[in-house]
Amino acid sequence: MKDFDLTLYLVTERSLSLGRPLDDVVEEAVKGGVTMVQLREKTCSSKEFYDQALRLKKCLKPYNVPLIINDRLDIALACDAEGLHIGQNDIPYHIARKILGKNKIIGLSVENIQDAIEANKLDIDYIGISPVFGTLTKTDTAQALGLSGVSDITQISKHPSVGIGGINKSNTQDIIRAGADGISVVSAIMSADNPRLAASELFEIIIKSKK
């Protein structure tokens, strides 16, 4: 049984960390309640990505929080991360599974009902419903799904799910009540003055919304 909890899923973005070291922001967020961390790096070299992944994995280990690598199968393999997250235009799922093995966590972004139907044919570990709302942190996304889109996808999906895209304290409750198992955030934590407090407040909203 793979050990992971989708409740509060942090996706990193160094450019939003207000100049603070990524490791520091992430560790504070984990202390506040973050349950999974995805390392996303679009602009650095492979060596920098690998080195950062190793640092983050070491940082997260004492908290038993899984490190998920965004897109880069080679980095996930090289640093022995707990998992990989892929999008619709990344390496095909069956290749990723074959190379990483059955014990690693693999998440897949779904952007519409058809993606979710196709995902049901795969033994992925979770889906990322993306984007729920419009967001400035990721510009290459599909049209926003809205709460009705989250509800439609979670009703037909056999996989646990996180909503991602434009999520903050004001709309977290709505996303959980629309059927998502957790939320995935970037700027709501990465750009917060106090990442631990921001994570704690989001975590509390999620737990209350599930009651």
Side-chain angles (χ1 to χ4, degrees):
M1 186 72 178
K2 293 170 195 173
D3 184 20
F4 68 96
D5 176 358
L6 292 171
T7 301
L8 183 52
Y9 188 131
L10 173 64
V11 179
T12 68
E13 176 61 68
R14 279 191 295 181
S15 66
L16 297 174
S17 67
L18 309 182
R20 299 166 297 194
L22 185 65
D23 306 24
D24 293 354
V25 176
V26 170
E27 185 164 15
E28 282 299 296
V30 167
K31 287 177 179 176
V34 161
T35 55
M36 287 180 80
V37 175
Q38 180 187 134
L39 178 60
R40 186 171 76 189
E41 292 288 355
K42 297 293 188 183
T43 57
C44 70
S45 70
S46 294
K47 175 72 163 60
E48 286 177 300
F49 197 161
Y50 170 70
D51 288 343
Q52 179 61 71
L54 285 182
R55 290 195 300 273
L56 215 47
K57 188 181 175 195
K58 184 178 180 182
C59 167
L60 295 173
K61 189 172 183 181
Y63 302 99
N64 198 31
V65 169
L67 173 64
I68 309 296
I69 301 295
N70 177 261
D71 293 354
R72 294 284 299 273
L73 175 60
D74 57 335
I75 301 293
L77 201 60
C79 74
D80 193 27
E82 282 74 32
L84 176 74
H85 187 90
I86 50 178
Q88 292 295 319
N89 297 315
D90 297 322
I91 191 164
Y93 165 76
H94 68 280
I95 300 293
R97 178 60 77 197
K98 183 178 179 182
I99 292 172
L100 287 177
K102 67 182 189 307
N103 295 324
K104 294 296 185 182
I105 301 163
I106 300 182
L108 177 68
S109 293
V110 300
E111 298 175 346
N112 51 55
I113 287 285
Q114 191 55 45
D115 287 349
I117 290 170
E118 291 299 316
N120 278 344
K121 302 172 186 174
L122 308 173
D123 64 333
I124 53 175
D125 297 289
Y126 71 90
I127 58 170
I129 302 171
S130 170
V132 179
F133 305 113
T135 174
L136 297 175
T137 60
K138 204 164 186 282
T139 56
D140 59 345
T141 54
Q143 186 174 348
L145 291 157
L147 295 172
S148 61
V150 173
S151 179
D152 291 345
I153 288 172
T154 56
Q155 283 181 51
I156 64 112
S157 177
K158 70 177 189 180
H159 302 294
S161 64
V162 285
I164 185 168
I167 300 175
N168 52 50
K169 284 192 296 185
S170 69
N171 53 32
T172 290
Q173 177 178 290
D174 294 333
I175 292 162
I176 298 300
R177 291 190 171 166
D181 295 286
I183 60 162
S184 184
V185 297
V186 187
S187 57
I189 288 177
M190 293 302 302
S191 294
D193 291 333
N194 186 331
R196 189 193 297 204
L197 178 62
S200 176
E201 289 174 344
L202 286 165
F203 186 84
E204 190 174 337
I205 293 167
I206 297 165
I207 298 306
K208 285 182 177 176
S209 301
K210 290 184 175 183
K211 289 180 179 176

